[in-house]
Amino acid sequence: MNMMAETTLEPKQAQAMNEPVYKMIGNKVSVFYGTKQALFEVSLPVREKTVTALIGPSGCGKSTFLRSLNRMNDTIDNCRVTGQITLDGQDIYDPSIDVVELRARVGMVFQKPNPFPKSIYENVAYGPKIHGLARNKADLDQIVETSLIKAGLWNEVKDRLHEAGTGLSGGQQQRLCIARAVAVSPEVILMDEPCSALDPIATAKVEELIHELRSNFTIVIVTHSMQQAARVSQRTAMFHLGNLVEENDTDKIFTNPDESRTQDYIMGRFG
Amino acid sequence: MKTPLILLILALMAIGAYVAGRARSHALSRTSKVKTHSRPAYHSAYVALAGLLPAVLVLIVWSIASPIYIDRTVRATLPSDLRIDQASEALNYGTVSIVARGVEQLTEAEIAAAQAGTVKWPELLVSKAVPVAADVRPEIIQAALKRTAMDAASHKAMAAVCIVVAALGAFLGYRRLAPSFRARNHIEKLMLVTLALCSTIAILTTVGIVVSMLSEATRFFAMVPMHEFFFGTVWDPRFAAAGAGGEGGQFGLIPLLAGTLYIAFFAMLCAVPVGLLSAIYMAEYASPRVRNLAKPALELLAGIPTIVYGFFALVTVGPFLRDISAELNGLVTGNYTNFIQAQSVLTAGIVMGIMLIPFVSSLSDDIITQVPRALRDGSLGLGATRSETIKRVILPAALPGIVSALLLTASRAVGETMIVVLAAGVAARLSPNPFEPMTTVTVKIVNQLTGDLEFTSPQTLVAFALGITLFAITLALNIYALYIVRKYREQYE
């Protein structure tokens, strides 16, 4: 399967550094909730096999942008998206696109760990079963195991795969959710403040995990923590009041941003 | 002085106390150096209640105790030949009560005249439209006069005591007002007592109902052995004709219980799929506009009185099923006789099912919408379709709640009466054929208790045994529903 194939490849970092490959490109994306506009013509490219952090004060539209990348905004009544978002050059809001298939390619991890009230095994097997990724039980077992290994959870749960996923600790639950997302072999993983409900130790584990996942997946992460953005991401985009303020290499944003608003936010003067 | 007037005076006193307490509290907060513990509203309410509550309590106790005392005293004054046994005493004391009511309407001058003998008592009373025999005994008249006098005295004393208690209470309450006085906490405690009292009343009523049913049922089981009732397969109670004595009927519960469960089963068979699927549509698919329109419309069904559903069954559904069965039979065998009777288990089941749809859908809808949005997002975010999400995540998570909703609905189906009377008839038969009439426990309870009855024969007492059995069934269903909810409650946290 292609997921397995990818794990064996060397990360093409050198190539990404020189001439960036864009996995997803947002072009003048505006989002409306009813009559209220939450996002104003945001144009943001997302590089392949890179962690892109979206930062900014609460209500700045970073989660809204993230959710429009896999059309999760469609599930909200009255929500309307204009502009263009492409995945590998294909418009994801095009009527010919199957939203279900899109979400299988662009997975999502949510703010609060939300394991299903099923066993650990069933939680991870959920996506592969729906999409028919496993031909038989052995296949499925294999997918579950590799996903849990990738999420760094295998050693902790291998003896109790059939216990309830809701019985795990908060940090373990969040890593289970990441394993669940990884199991459908997405190309992009969106993370909406994945550590905001976790304690520092669990946060450190998830951050380490994000670091490892970068070699196989394109990751977009929304975070409230400047330190986290600095630690896990290579590119950072700063949002304010529904606008994209600037987007650049993380090192540059945190040491020498072009915009004074970015500087102020990072220094903690507002937000 | 009459009780309403006393209550009015007490209310006015309470208002006065409230105003006084308020003034004092304001004065306190102005002059005191420390911050007052409670706000003026609490202080004034405390003063008002300190007067009002004890006075009302006295009023209630007095109103209950004084008639009992007066009755006993007056009864004792009746000569012994007027109270040979309980019946004659009750009869003669009844006359005393009637005369006493007449005496209350007389002026003092009229009473004096009658006492002096210038006017005859019976004539005087009859002129006031009080029915009294012409040869009424003078002892009875005297007893009535004594009762009237005692009543009046009691009322006066009660008024005086109440007002004194109210004044004293309010005064003591007023005296306690101080910046450090915790009136707020006292009022809080009072609220607690009031609330606890109300729930106690609700619980005691339930207990009372059960106890009264149990005691009547015990009387029934003294006449009919328990095993004949619970395991008897024939329901033939005969008539409870007065004086018929000895002609005991057969009181077999089984045919009724079978009918009840059979009809409830068909009702659930209709209600559960339709109700559950419409709940899923309402909760997951319907746009807010459709939902706002369709949900109240569906719940309107729950507001229709069950007797109206009964008409519907009798006039529309029953004949329709009968005719269509005749047509079907004709098409298949060439013999145009109906195999579904107009009154049948099926008719009752279908119509009761329609009645239950809003219960199932409304309860399930609430439960489904309670499933956290995070679970929905999690599944959709993995690329599941809506129906996959519902089938694999939402319904399993909501299942305990839905099961308990269905059990609650089932206990309604078991207790339903009117639809069954009209749709399935009153014939207590034991038959596996759902196209024929059967009847239920509740219908037979109504049957046994309609008409002029004496509550000593097993024919009427059986109703209580049936009632307690039905109560046990619905109680068991409800407890089981609660148990399921508790057991699986922490499933999604």
Side-chain angles (χ1 to χ4, degrees):
Chain A
M1 283 196 292
N2 73 13
M3 180 182 75
M4 314 273 182
E6 276 178 8
T7 54
T8 59
L9 288 176
E10 282 299 316
K12 298 175 188 167
Q13 276 188 4
Q15 185 201 342
M17 290 290 186
N18 299 336
E19 42 176 295
V21 180
Y22 293 115
K23 185 73 185 169
M24 297 189 81
I25 298 169
N27 188 14
K28 293 190 176 173
V29 179
S30 296
V31 178
F32 302 83
Y33 295 115
T35 52
K36 188 177 167 291
Q37 189 167 3
L39 212 57
F40 298 86
E41 304 207 332
V42 170
S43 296
L44 179 68
V46 176
R47 297 187 183 186
E48 189 170 32
K49 300 207 168 139
T50 306
V51 179
T52 306
L54 310 183
I55 62 170
S58 296
C60 67
K62 54 194 189 304
S63 284
T64 299
F65 180 76
L66 188 80
R67 290 173 67 90
S68 56
L69 289 180
N70 72 341
R71 294 183 57 178
M72 278 305 280
N73 281 333
D74 290 13
T75 64
I76 298 169
D77 295 325
N78 303 327
C79 183
R80 195 159 53 83
V81 181
T82 64
Q84 195 190 39
I85 299 175
T86 58
L87 173 63
D88 290 339
Q90 200 178 13
D91 184 0
I92 63 168
Y93 281 89
D94 190 89
S96 69
I97 284 284
D98 178 9
V99 64
V100 168
E101 199 189 325
L102 169 73
R103 288 184 194 143
R105 290 174 67 191
V106 184
M108 189 152 192
V109 175
F110 296 85
Q111 187 168 359
K112 223 180 124 210
N114 59 349
F116 302 132
K118 299 170 181 281
S119 71
I120 294 168
Y121 182 93
E122 285 296 324
N123 261 286
V124 182
Y126 182 82
K129 273 186 181 172
I130 284 178
H131 298 294
L133 298 184
R135 272 183 302 276
N136 50 43
K137 179 84 171 68
D139 249 10
L140 194 59
D141 288 349
Q142 189 57 47
I143 294 176
V144 170
E145 183 176 339
T146 39
S147 306
L148 284 169
I149 289 172
K150 279 188 198 164
L153 197 60
W154 177 250
N155 286 329
E156 291 161 61
V157 301
K158 64 181 174 204
D159 299 324
R160 46 176 179 146
L161 285 177
H162 295 283
E163 286 173 30
T166 42
L168 297 172
S169 74
Q172 287 174 325
Q173 286 189 14
Q174 192 62 300
R175 279 182 284 148
L176 177 62
C177 293
I178 292 173
R180 192 174 70 182
V182 166
V184 286
S185 343
E187 296 154 40
V188 183
I189 300 178
L190 309 176
M191 299 187 173
D192 191 353
E193 297 180 40
C195 301
S196 64
L198 305 185
D199 66 46
I201 294 169
T203 301
K205 280 194 174 155
V206 172
E207 285 180 6
E208 201 180 315
L209 174 60
I210 293 170
H211 218 74
E212 284 163 18
L213 290 175
R214 181 165 70 93
S215 50
N216 294 314
F217 305 96
T218 303
I219 294 173
V220 185
I221 179 172
V222 164
T223 176
H224 262 128
S225 155
M226 296 305 111
Q227 291 88 337
Q228 186 170 70
R231 279 194 300 264
V232 301
S233 73
Q234 290 76 51
R235 300 284 294 181
T236 297
M238 161 77 192
F239 283 72
H240 186 223
L241 298 176
N243 291 294
L244 177 65
V245 177
E246 66 173 303
E247 189 263 343
N248 216 323
D249 281 345
T250 301
D251 294 342
K252 172 118 170 59
I253 290 271
F254 279 90
T255 51
N256 183 24
D258 294 333
E259 293 274 335
S260 63
R261 273 190 289 173
T262 313
Q263 176 97 35
D264 289 347
Y265 181 65
I266 289 164
M267 304 295 281
R269 282 193 204 122
F270 74 91
Chain B
M1 209 182 270
K2 295 279 180 237
T3 316
L5 184 62
I6 300 174
L7 280 175
L8 183 68
I9 292 174
L10 289 180
L12 289 176
M13 287 178 74
I15 293 172
Y18 188 89
V19 172
R22 196 175 174 78
R24 172 135 170 95
S25 174
H26 277 297
L28 279 175
S29 61
R30 265 197 307 279
T31 55
S32 136
K33 289 193 178 66
V34 290
K35 189 175 171 294
T36 46
H37 173 271
S38 303
R39 282 178 296 129
Y42 284 112
H43 278 147
S44 36
Y46 178 79
V47 176
L49 290 173
L52 190 64
L53 286 185
V56 169
L57 206 65
V58 168
L59 188 74
I60 291 170
V61 173
W62 196 298
S63 305
I64 294 169
S66 95
I68 297 174
Y69 173 73
I70 293 172
D71 267 17
R72 281 176 125 183
T73 327
V74 174
R75 267 168 204 252
T77 65
L78 289 176
S80 55
D81 66 316
L82 286 182
R83 24 184 199 136
I84 304 159
D85 55 26
Q86 270 201 333
S88 78
E89 183 178 338
L91 194 68
N92 287 312
Y93 191 69
T95 322
V96 171
S97 304
I98 291 168
V99 173
R101 228 177 296 141
V103 170
E104 276 170 24
Q105 298 174 25
L106 301 177
T107 60
E108 279 187 32
E110 283 171 323
I111 292 175
Q115 286 289 57
T118 43
V119 190
K120 282 232 158 54
W121 270 111
E123 287 165 17
L124 183 59
L125 288 172
V126 169
S127 75
K128 295 287 175 192
V130 178
V132 179
D135 59 344
V136 65
R137 295 265 299 261
E139 289 92 337
I140 285 185
I141 301 289
Q142 292 316 314
L145 283 174
K146 185 171 170 59
R147 200 183 116 145
T148 320
M150 283 181 81
D151 259 348
S154 157
H155 265 102
K156 263 185 207 143
M158 177 169 76
V161 170
C162 281
I163 289 167
V164 168
V165 166
L168 198 68
F171 175 69
L172 289 178
Y174 186 80
R175 278 266 305 268
R176 288 187 73 178
L177 294 192
S180 64
F181 178 58
R182 302 187 169 183
R184 193 180 176 194
N185 301 17
H186 285 281
I187 300 282
E188 188 63 31
K189 214 170 277 169
L190 189 75
M191 284 305 295
L192 178 72
V193 171
T194 315
L195 296 178
L197 210 65
C198 287
S199 42
T200 314
I201 289 173
I203 293 167
L204 284 184
T205 318
T206 316
V207 173
I209 291 173
V210 174
V211 167
S212 78
M213 284 217 299
L214 264 181
S215 71
E216 298 293 328
T218 327
R219 282 171 64 197
F220 170 75
F221 286 124
M223 292 180 234
V224 176
M226 248 189 212
H227 62 89
E228 272 184 27
F229 174 72
F230 283 113
F231 301 112
T233 52
V234 178
W235 175 266
D236 179 21
R238 308 280 167 83
F239 287 107
E247 257 307 285
Q250 282 176 285
F251 303 93
L253 174 68
I254 300 285
L256 304 186
L257 202 59
T260 305
L261 297 180
Y262 210 4
I263 291 173
F265 169 75
F266 271 102
M268 295 301 277
L269 209 61
C270 292
V272 172
V274 179
L276 203 55
L277 295 182
S278 67
I280 290 174
Y281 172 72
M282 296 284 175
E284 296 292 329
Y285 288 91
S287 69
R289 256 184 55 206
V290 173
R291 189 181 151 88
N292 288 344
L293 226 85
K295 214 176 169 228
L298 195 62
E299 277 163 9
L300 207 64
L301 271 181
I304 298 175
T306 55
I307 187 78
V308 176
Y309 282 105
F311 296 157
F312 179 57
L314 191 67
V315 182
T316 313
V317 179
F320 172 75
L321 287 176
R322 182 196 57 207
D323 296 346
I324 204 153
S325 75
E327 288 295 322
L328 276 177
N329 199 12
L331 281 178
V332 176
T333 63
N335 171 14
Y336 282 90
T337 46
N338 56 307
F339 59 89
I340 302 179
Q341 313 219 8
Q343 284 196 326
S344 70
V345 170
L346 190 67
T347 314
I350 289 175
V351 176
M352 201 192 283
I354 296 171
M355 178 196 85
L356 294 177
I357 287 171
F359 291 94
V360 176
S361 77
S362 185
L363 286 169
S364 313
D365 182 22
D366 289 345
I367 291 157
I368 290 170
T369 31
Q370 267 173 29
V371 174
R373 196 188 161 82
L375 287 185
R376 236 167 242 130
D377 281 354
S379 174
L380 293 174
L382 285 171
T385 62
R386 266 178 172 178
S387 72
E388 283 165 348
T389 303
I390 290 162
K391 204 167 62 197
R392 288 163 177 265
V393 174
I394 293 176
L395 284 186
L399 198 63
I402 289 174
V403 168
S404 85
L406 294 187
L407 286 173
L408 287 178
T409 316
S411 68
R412 256 198 82 94
V414 167
E416 178 49 44
T417 316
M418 292 324 293
I419 291 177
V420 182
V421 175
L422 294 178
V426 292
R429 296 147 37 97
L430 193 55
S431 144
N433 184 353
F435 304 139
E436 287 180 6
M438 262 174 118
T439 200
T440 63
V441 174
T442 49
V443 169
K444 279 301 162 196
I445 293 179
V446 174
N447 249 16
Q448 294 308 108
L449 292 183
T450 335
D452 239 350
L453 307 161
E454 44 170 357
F455 276 81
T456 48
S457 67
Q459 277 81 0
T460 44
L461 288 176
V462 71
F464 296 97
L466 290 174
I468 201 87
T469 313
L470 197 64
F471 176 75
I473 293 173
T474 49
L475 186 72
L477 279 176
N478 287 6
I479 289 176
Y480 188 58
L482 272 182
Y483 163 78
I484 287 189
V485 174
R486 293 249 168 89
K487 186 169 175 198
Y488 296 101
R489 174 167 287 162
E490 56 279 338
Q491 274 268 336
Y492 42 88
E493 255 307 282

